[in-house]
Amino acid sequence: MTKDFSILYPVLVQALWTFALLFLMAYERFRAINAKQVKVGGPGERPVFVGRAGTVSNAYHNQFEMPVLFY
């Protein structure tokens, strides 16, 4: 009797995609910080990343919203 793990492939792809976005987000944020493209608010406010860093950051955060529908 062999076990078929093909049902887990979409979950593994989702996890790999999330980690790939995590590393891409870190890279883009460091680039934005070095280029001084970050808008800093007051105390207690999160910094706002503009351009590609903001887009990748939003894509990463969406990975924790949409997978609820996926699972």
Side-chain angles (χ1 to χ4, degrees):
M1 182 158 71
T2 61
K3 295 183 181 182
D4 185 21
F5 292 106
S6 62
I7 192 132
L8 295 178
Y9 293 157
V11 175
L12 294 174
V13 169
Q14 182 73 37
L16 289 173
W17 179 243
T18 302
F19 280 109
L21 280 173
L22 174 69
F23 292 120
L24 181 62
M25 180 180 67
Y27 173 75
E28 290 296 334
R29 282 185 171 192
F30 281 123
R31 282 185 50 194
I33 290 169
N34 287 335
K36 298 186 182 359
Q37 296 177 343
V38 182
K39 296 180 181 178
V40 181
E45 293 182 12
R46 295 185 341 176
V48 176
F49 292 91
V50 296
R52 183 167 166 85
T55 303
V56 174
S57 179
N58 288 338
Y60 175 75
H61 291 293
N62 286 340
Q63 291 300 307
F64 297 103
E65 296 170 1
M66 286 303 294
V68 174
L69 297 176
F70 171 74
Y71 297 123

